[in-house]
Structures are given as structure tokens and as C-alpha cells.
Amino acid sequence: MLRKGKRLLMAGLAIGAMVVGGSALAQDQQKGLISIIVNDTSNPYWLTEGQIARQTAEEMGYSANVSAHKGDTNAESRQVDTAITNQAKAIILDPANADGSVGAVKKAVNAGIPVFIVNAEINQQGLAKAQLVSNNAQGAALGAQQWVEAVGDSARYVELKGAPSDNNAATRSNGYQTVLTQYPDFELVASDVANWDRTQGYNKTQSMLQANPDIQGLISGNDEMALGAIAALRESGKLKDVVVGGFDGSPDAVQAVKDGDMAYTVLQPVAVFSKRAVELADQFIRTGETGLNGEKQLFDCLLITPENVDQVTSPFVLEQ
């Protein structure tokens, strides 16, 4: 009887622990919703941005959902409306448009929901609790210097630019030109907007090659456009003669660096700042403060080259 009673006592304690544990878990899950709105999850960069933010939120005890506006401010506005209806505790937003997204952010703020901007900025300070972005000027300079090293002292070259609605596009292009215009024997013979898109990068490169078949280099505002350019260059038989540089550090670009098709890519630390945005949101939800000295937070970019490409351990993560 004593042994049986002891077994029953132990079983009762175990069940009690499960109930307490289950209660604690339920309480954790009641921390609320964090709504994550990214650009386009068909792009591995934005896919990773959403995945990391969601994973971090769930690990911290929140429920989380990810939606994508694909650069459409109307879709973005509807997604913010949904977050408000669902009484989200915070919104993590990669804005569709530097100017056009301001209204959606105001709407969330007026509803009492703190907004944390990631990756791309909005053109109004004082609305978001924080804007966490790559140091695009630093990354562009880093990439342009590596491009110069790969191409040599002179070249006729072309440039692919990102969406004009995204401040990052102009910042990167200006950063490239700040470096490349220091070399008098570099000639920019054509440039075109390919809106961060691989298919457009392919089509725009084809057109530029028809007008300028003897280029020695191509520099791109992101990896997707650069990968489209590589496809066009390969199709035309010119890939071995043209140095291609990218920006993002996407898995396909990392493979292109390994394969020798891309000279380098500039890694944006999206895995770092997506996680940090959720941590800041949690801190603000709990304390009413972010603890930051300023709204805009810059995260330095890293260079991925043939020399260190094997140190990429997971998407957008380079071990140093």
C-alpha cells in the first residue's frame, strides 16, 4: 500500500506539473499578436525577413502572421487594417513606398499599435518606434570597391537599379557612383530600372546588351536583378567577359559566387535586424520604451566573395 500510495503521489505531482506548465504556456500564448508585413515572399530576401520575424515572435510567446503587399500600397493599407481589426500588439513593416506607406503607418499609430519599420525607410520621422535598415551607403561603397578590384582600372559598364519608390535604390546607386566616378576610365554606357526583379533584370540586360555588346561590367542594386542579368549574359555567350556584382547575399547569389558567375554580393544582415525588430517590439509592449537613442538604426553590410563564400552558414548569415 505504501508503494502504491507513493506511486499515486508521484503521478499526481507529475500531472500537477503538466497542468502548471500548460497554464504557463497558455499564458505565454496570450501575449497577443505581432503582425508582420513584408514585400514579396517569392524573393528569398523578403521570405527570410518574414520567417525570422515570425520565428522570433513565436519563440517570445506571441502569435504571429506574415503577409506580403508586393509593393502595392493599397494591399499594404488593407493588411494594416487587418492588423488593427485583429488587435495586434505591434506591426513589423517593410514599407511598400517611402512616401506612400506613411498613411498606413499613421493609421496603425492612431489605433494605438506601435510600428517597427524594417529594411526600407518611410519619409517621415516620429511615427514608427524604430526604423531598422541596412547601412546601404556603406554596403554600396563596399560593393563598388570590390567591383573595381574585380574589373580592373577601366571598363565600359551598365547598371541595374531598384524600384524608385524605395529609398534604398537611390542610396545604392549613388553609393556606386560615388566610388566609380573616381575612375576616369570607367564609362557608364547604360542604366535601367528593373524594380528588384529577376525577370526584369534579364529583359533589361538583354536590351542594354543589344545597344552595348562590348561591355566589361555590370553592377546591380540587388541580387535578383543581377541573377537575371547573368541569365541574359550566359544566353548571349558574354558571361565570361562581364564582371557582375550583386547586393543582398541571397542563397542563389551565394551559389553564383561559388560557381564563378558573380564576382561578389553584398550581404544585408536581414536575419539580424528582423530579429531585433521583434525584440524591440516586445520591449516596447512590456515597458512602453524601446531603449533606443534614435529612431533610425543602421546595420552594416558584409561582403561575400569567393574567398569567404563557404562561411555562409544559412540564408543571409555569414560567420566571421
Side-chain angles (χ1 to χ4, degrees):
M1 286 294 294
L2 181 61
R3 288 184 180 176
K4 183 177 180 182
K6 188 174 181 179
R7 287 198 298 270
L8 288 170
L9 175 63
M10 295 302 291
L13 289 170
I15 292 169
M18 287 172 66
V19 170
V20 171
S23 175
L25 180 60
Q27 287 174 1
D28 260 0
Q29 290 175 337
Q30 289 171 6
K31 289 177 77 172
L33 169 70
I34 291 182
S35 182
I36 301 153
I37 304 172
V38 302
N39 193 314
D40 185 352
T41 52
S42 67
N43 182 314
Y45 178 85
W46 288 309
L47 176 66
T48 298
E49 181 179 77
Q51 286 177 333
I52 294 292
R54 181 173 187 167
Q55 178 183 339
T56 305
E58 290 176 345
E59 287 173 353
M60 299 183 86
Y62 295 92
S63 61
N65 58 35
V66 179
S67 56
H69 52 63
K70 298 186 178 180
D72 182 346
T73 54
N74 290 322
E76 177 185 55
S77 182
R78 291 192 296 270
Q79 288 156 0
V80 168
D81 286 339
T82 299
I84 294 169
T85 299
N86 292 337
Q87 298 181 324
K89 297 293 185 180
I91 295 173
I92 311 297
L93 173 66
D94 189 336
N97 187 297
D99 292 312
S101 297
V102 170
V105 175
K106 281 182 177 177
K107 186 162 47 174
V109 171
N110 290 338
I113 301 175
V115 178
F116 295 80
I117 300 291
V118 291
N119 180 57
E121 300 172 56
I122 57 171
N123 286 336
Q124 186 166 331
Q125 296 286 304
L127 290 175
K129 297 302 177 186
Q131 299 201 54
L132 292 79
V133 298
S134 296
N135 190 342
N136 284 279
Q138 171 262 349
L142 201 63
Q145 288 158 3
Q146 186 65 25
W147 188 88
V148 170
E149 187 174 318
V151 81
D153 293 332
S154 65
R156 288 167 52 83
Y157 73 98
V158 297
E159 180 184 355
L160 289 172
K161 298 180 180 181
S165 60
D166 185 340
N167 287 349
N168 292 342
T171 301
R172 291 175 199 172
S173 183
N174 292 339
Y176 292 157
Q177 292 310 306
T178 297
V179 173
L180 300 182
T181 52
Q182 297 176 36
Y183 296 84
D185 293 328
F186 284 156
E187 183 183 358
L188 177 62
V189 296
S191 65
D192 210 339
V193 172
N195 292 305
W196 309 128
D197 182 75
R198 191 180 301 202
T199 300
Q200 291 188 43
Y202 170 84
N203 292 333
K204 296 299 177 70
T205 300
Q206 275 194 323
S207 297
M208 291 191 292
L209 280 174
Q210 289 173 4
N212 305 279
D214 60 342
I215 59 168
Q216 291 89 45
L218 182 149
I219 194 163
S220 176
N222 83 335
D223 285 337
E224 286 298 292
M225 297 186 298
L227 290 163
I230 285 170
L233 288 163
R234 180 180 287 114
E235 190 176 276
S236 67
K238 297 181 183 296
L239 182 56
K240 293 186 183 301
D241 303 319
V242 179
V243 173
V244 178
F247 201 115
D248 275 350
S250 74
D252 284 354
V254 168
Q255 188 59 51
V257 172
K258 287 182 179 180
D259 294 342
D261 294 338
M262 191 180 289
Y264 68 87
T265 179
V266 176
L267 173 68
Q268 291 197 78
V270 62
V272 175
F273 61 68
S274 296
K275 182 175 188 290
R276 181 64 176 143
V278 177
E279 292 171 344
L280 288 171
D282 172 66
Q283 182 170 333
F284 186 84
I285 291 165
R286 288 184 294 103
T287 69
E289 302 287 344
T290 64
L292 299 174
N293 292 326
E295 179 179 324
K296 186 174 177 179
Q297 302 290 306
L298 294 176
F299 293 75
D300 279 352
C301 300
L302 302 169
L303 200 60
I304 297 174
T305 68
E307 288 68 38
N308 69 353
V309 67
D310 290 332
Q311 293 168 236
V312 177
T313 56
S314 59
F316 301 96
V317 176
L318 176 67
E319 294 292 341
Q320 294 182 292

